[in-house]
């Protein structure tokens, strides 16, 4: 009653404390007793339960029909065929780097999305990698570098290099170190390299590892300072233009011994991605893949404005990138990876229809590890030992058991994806087209993705006669040798008071 910081507690000392306690446990009350099967956010109970069941290898079927309102605007479904196929190959693969690389990689349709050691515990990293090894799919390291825990079980790795250059960082200049890069990139476990330009949930911000989650081992791996939040710079220093990005990709491909190299981004200004497409045509250099991250993507820590209101959602971004590469005449040489809230095999079909070649999942794999969506990833108090560096918590996560669950989830997802391909009467993931997916636009109107999303003709952006009107302004703004956009509309001079 004597404190002065809380008026509520000063006036109501007992009821006020009760109120704060109830507020503290509100998320758990909401999740376990109030939310229904379909309205939980960011991932609903229906899909969390689906991952748990498939990871544990128990019954994942449903009785008595769907819990979704099939007449609600936005409901989506896939067209089935009256001549379903039987696909003999139950393990479809997608080849990355077929044109440019001496060491191309045959990837699974579903792989583990970028999650760093530091954001996740050592046991979580080991379990993910063990699962990847068991069912033969890839594990993206996240921007925190390749740790001993990524290497222990020998699963295939996609090494992500962010703006902090962790793992290939010059500790003096804090920039890119070629010798350190070669040492890690030539490891047998590293199958591909991904340059992170931006990510969903906090595009343009740089990665954040709160100081609460730092250990001496993480400090040593990353080459950072203990006791301070690790915030990666917003932009790269190894290059400063679209052309420079492609030259950097070519350098990394050469120094890695011919492994596929690409980049990851969340789409912001369309003209900036088109500038990269222009640079491809100007230089003849192309990435082996582009990872498209949606703004709805997950992250361990992000400013709320970034998570809620920055960046383009996945399906819009994916359609744009796919069509931009077609319009620039370079789509055949470049694979597209989609990342952002993909949990079920239908979610995979949906993004395949919009141009993805493979899919990365982070939260799905975390649920397979046992994540309960407590949303404490940024506090170091993860109750399941996944997103924490507290030994008492992460040592309770059994690597062998959880690794098996990750493998089970992946295996089941690919199995059900193949089943949907068979139902649709097609033979491979590359045959999934926009007209295979329908969306209810209103109570009486149904549209396929072909009707909703734009489709460009091959090479149409390369001629003024064929460029679509809706693309003209962004294409004109793009400049292949600088990120700065060409002005197409003169800005008004600001009026300065006084």
């Amino acid at each position: 009653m004597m404190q002065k910081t809380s008026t509520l507690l000063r006036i109501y000392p007992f009821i006020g404390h009760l109120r704060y306690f109830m507020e503290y446990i509100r998320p758990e009350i909401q999740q376990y007793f109030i939310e229904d099967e379909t309205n939980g956010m960011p991932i609903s109970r229906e899909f969390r339960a689906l991952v748990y069941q498939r990871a544990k290898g128990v019954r994942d079927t449903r009785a008595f029909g769907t819990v979704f309102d099939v007449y609600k605007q936005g409901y989506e479904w896939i067209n089935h065929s009256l001549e379903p196929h039987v696909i003999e190959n139950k393990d479809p693969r997608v080849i990355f780097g077929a044109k440019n690389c001496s060491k191309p990689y045959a990837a699974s349709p579903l792989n583990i999305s970028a999650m760093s050691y530091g954001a996740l515990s050592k046991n979580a990293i080991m379990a993910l990698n063990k699962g990847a090894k068991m069912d033969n799919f890839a594990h993206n390291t996240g921007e925190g570098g390749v740790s001993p825990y990524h290497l222990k079980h020998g699963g295939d790795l996609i090494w992500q290099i962010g703006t902090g250059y962790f793992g290939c960082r010059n500790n003096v200049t804090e920039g890119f170190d070629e010798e350190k890069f070669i040492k890690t990139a030539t490891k047998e476990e590293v199958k591909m390299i991904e340059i992170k330009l931006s990510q969903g949930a906090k595009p343009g911000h740089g990665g954040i590892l709160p100081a609460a989650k730092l250990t001496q081992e993480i400090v040593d791996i990353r080459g950072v300072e203990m006791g301070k939040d690790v915030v990666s710079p917003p932009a790269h220093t190894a290059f400063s233009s679209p052309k420079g990005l492609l030259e950097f990709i070519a350098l990394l491909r050469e120094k890695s011994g011919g492994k596929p190299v690409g980049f990851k981004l969340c789409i912001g200004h369309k003209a900036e991605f088109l500038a990269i497409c222009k640079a491809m045509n100007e230089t003849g250099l192309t990435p082996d893949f582009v990872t498209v991250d949606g703004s709805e993507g997950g992250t361990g820590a992000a400013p709320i404005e970034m998570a809620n209101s920055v960046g383009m959602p996945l399906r819009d971004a994916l359609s744009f990138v796919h069509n931009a590469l077609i319009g620039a005449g370079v789509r055949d040489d470049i694979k597209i990876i989609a990342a952002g809230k993909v949990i079920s095999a239908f979610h995979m079909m949906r993004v395949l229809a919009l141009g993805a070649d493979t899919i990365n999942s982070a939260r799905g794999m975390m649920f397979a590890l046992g994540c309960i969506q407590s949303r404490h990833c940024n506090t170091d108090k993860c109750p399941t030992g996944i997103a924490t560096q507290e030994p008492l918590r992460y040592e309770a996560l059994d690597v062998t058991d959880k690794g098996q669950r990750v493998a089970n989830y992946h295996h089941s997802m690919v199995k059900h994806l193949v089943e949907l391909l068979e139902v649709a009467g097609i033979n491979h993931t590359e045959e999934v087209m926009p007209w295979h997916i329908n969306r209810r636009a209103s109570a009486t109107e149904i549209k396929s993705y072909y009707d909703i999303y734009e489709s460009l003709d091959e090479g149409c952006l390369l001629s003024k006669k064929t460029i679509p009107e809706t693309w003209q302004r962004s294409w004109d703004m793009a400049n292949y040798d600088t990120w700065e956009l060409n002005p197409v509309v003169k800005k008004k001079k600001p009026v300065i008071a006084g």
Side-chain angles (χ1 to χ4, degrees):
M1 293 176 67
M2 301 300 294
Q3 56 80 36
K4 298 180 180 180
T5 57
S6 172
T7 305
L8 186 67
L9 290 179
R10 201 170 187 184
I11 300 173
Y12 308 103
F14 176 72
I15 295 177
H17 276 292
L18 183 62
R19 180 259 185 197
Y20 282 122
F21 173 73
M22 295 301 292
E23 184 180 48
Y24 179 75
I25 63 171
R26 179 181 178 276
E28 286 76 16
I29 297 295
Q30 176 76 22
Q31 180 176 349
Y32 291 114
F33 300 106
I34 297 176
E35 73 175 41
D36 64 23
E37 297 299 308
T38 61
N39 68 1
M41 292 298 285
I43 309 295
S44 70
R45 189 176 186 86
E46 170 80 353
F47 291 116
R48 296 199 307 270
L50 180 72
V51 179
Y52 297 148
Q53 290 158 349
R54 290 180 175 175
K56 294 176 183 178
V58 299
R59 183 172 58 243
D60 65 347
T61 54
R62 297 288 186 271
F64 226 66
T66 181
V67 295
F68 291 107
D69 181 353
V70 299
Y71 297 101
K72 183 179 180 180
Q73 183 176 342
Y75 174 73
E76 295 180 335
W77 67 95
I78 184 173
N79 290 326
H80 68 283
S81 172
L82 292 178
E83 189 180 10
H85 290 187
V86 176
I87 299 175
E88 297 297 330
N89 179 16
K90 305 298 183 182
D91 183 26
R93 293 275 148 174
V94 178
I95 306 299
F96 284 71
K99 179 184 177 183
N100 297 318
C101 299
S102 58
K103 296 179 180 178
Y105 179 61
S108 168
L110 178 67
N111 300 286
I112 301 170
S113 198
M115 294 180 283
S116 303
Y117 172 48
L120 301 193
S121 68
K122 61 180 69 175
N123 282 32
I125 293 293
M126 287 190 288
L128 288 171
N129 196 255
K130 186 177 180 68
K133 178 66 174 179
M134 293 173 70
D135 211 44
N136 191 24
F137 60 107
H139 178 191
N140 191 305
T141 65
E143 68 169 292
V146 179
S147 73
Y149 310 108
H150 288 100
L151 298 169
K152 183 170 182 179
H153 295 287
D156 292 349
L157 295 177
I158 302 172
W159 180 19
Q160 186 184 90
I161 298 174
T163 54
Y165 302 109
F166 303 125
C168 54
R169 175 186 176 94
N170 185 308
N171 291 339
V172 177
T173 66
E174 298 185 351
F176 176 70
D177 188 309
E178 188 175 302
E179 290 186 6
K180 288 183 179 178
F181 170 79
I182 293 172
K183 184 177 180 181
T184 299
T186 53
K187 291 181 182 294
E188 178 61 28
E189 294 87 352
V190 175
K191 302 300 183 182
M192 302 203 297
I193 294 110
E194 179 182 81
I195 302 165
K196 189 180 90 167
L197 303 182
S198 60
Q199 69 177 89
K202 51 176 181 277
H205 188 283
I208 302 173
L209 181 61
K213 299 179 77 169
L214 279 181
T215 65
Q216 189 58 51
E217 184 177 42
I218 295 168
V219 166
D220 294 339
I221 290 171
R222 296 199 180 201
V224 295
E225 188 176 346
M226 179 67 85
K228 294 184 178 180
D229 290 348
V230 181
V231 181
S232 300
H236 281 267
T237 57
F239 53 88
S240 58
S241 67
K243 180 181 177 183
L245 167 63
L246 299 181
E247 291 171 345
F248 189 58
I249 288 172
L251 173 69
L252 299 192
R253 186 186 291 128
E254 176 192 350
K255 298 301 180 182
S256 67
K259 295 179 180 179
V261 181
F263 62 89
K264 170 182 176 176
L265 82 169
C266 179
I267 295 295
H269 291 297
K270 290 183 177 181
E272 290 180 340
F273 186 80
L274 294 176
I276 300 174
C277 294
K278 281 188 174 182
M280 293 181 201
N281 281 289
E282 184 68 25
T283 64
L285 301 173
T286 57
D288 298 297
F289 63 92
V290 176
T291 302
V292 182
D293 204 5
S295 61
E296 69 271 42
T299 182
I304 193 166
E305 292 85 359
M306 293 280 180
N308 288 344
S309 309
V310 180
M312 190 181 293
L314 176 60
R315 277 171 276 173
D316 305 284
L318 184 57
S319 176
F320 165 72
V321 169
H322 174 60
N323 279 289
L325 295 175
I326 290 174
V330 293
R331 179 65 177 91
D332 290 343
D333 301 330
I334 301 170
K335 300 301 182 186
I336 296 178
I337 302 172
K341 219 170 180 180
V342 175
I343 304 294
S344 74
F346 174 72
H347 295 157
M348 294 178 69
M349 288 288 286
R350 191 165 60 185
V351 295
L352 289 171
L354 290 174
D357 293 290
T358 64
I359 296 96
N360 284 353
S361 175
R363 284 170 288 190
M365 297 297 176
M366 289 179 69
F367 290 135
L369 287 175
C371 170
I372 59 172
Q373 195 169 273
S374 68
R375 304 183 73 185
H376 291 311
C377 312
N378 59 333
T379 67
D380 204 36
K381 301 297 181 184
C382 171
T384 57
I386 297 170
T388 178
Q389 302 306 321
E390 287 191 9
L392 185 65
R393 295 172 185 268
Y394 71 69
E395 287 175 0
L397 190 156
D398 186 84
V399 173
T400 300
D401 176 67
K402 303 305 183 186
Q404 182 64 63
R405 291 191 183 192
V406 169
N408 289 346
Y409 172 61
H410 174 269
H411 190 82
S412 181
M413 284 283 281
V414 174
K415 171 189 170 185
H416 284 88
L417 174 65
V418 170
E419 188 175 62
L420 286 180
L421 294 175
E422 292 176 330
V423 164
I426 52 184
N427 296 304
H428 197 275
T429 55
E430 63 189 15
E431 297 177 23
V432 185
M433 294 297 169
W435 51 80
H436 285 119
I437 308 295
N438 295 315
R439 179 187 296 170
R440 181 172 293 285
S442 69
T444 57
E445 185 180 19
I446 297 168
K447 291 185 176 182
S448 75
Y449 275 11
Y450 185 78
D451 302 315
I452 297 170
Y453 294 96
E454 194 172 11
S455 297
L456 297 194
D457 294 328
E458 180 77 21
C460 68
L461 297 177
L462 303 179
S463 171
K464 290 185 178 181
K465 294 181 180 180
T466 56
I467 185 169
E469 184 179 349
T470 53
W471 289 68
Q472 185 71 60
R473 177 177 294 181
S474 294
W475 186 257
D476 290 342
M477 292 172 69
N479 195 336
Y480 78 90
D481 59 4
T482 177
W483 294 118
E484 186 175 344
L485 303 179
N486 295 323
V488 294
V489 178
K490 291 183 178 180
K491 294 181 180 179
K492 295 180 180 179
K493 291 183 178 180
V495 176
I496 302 174

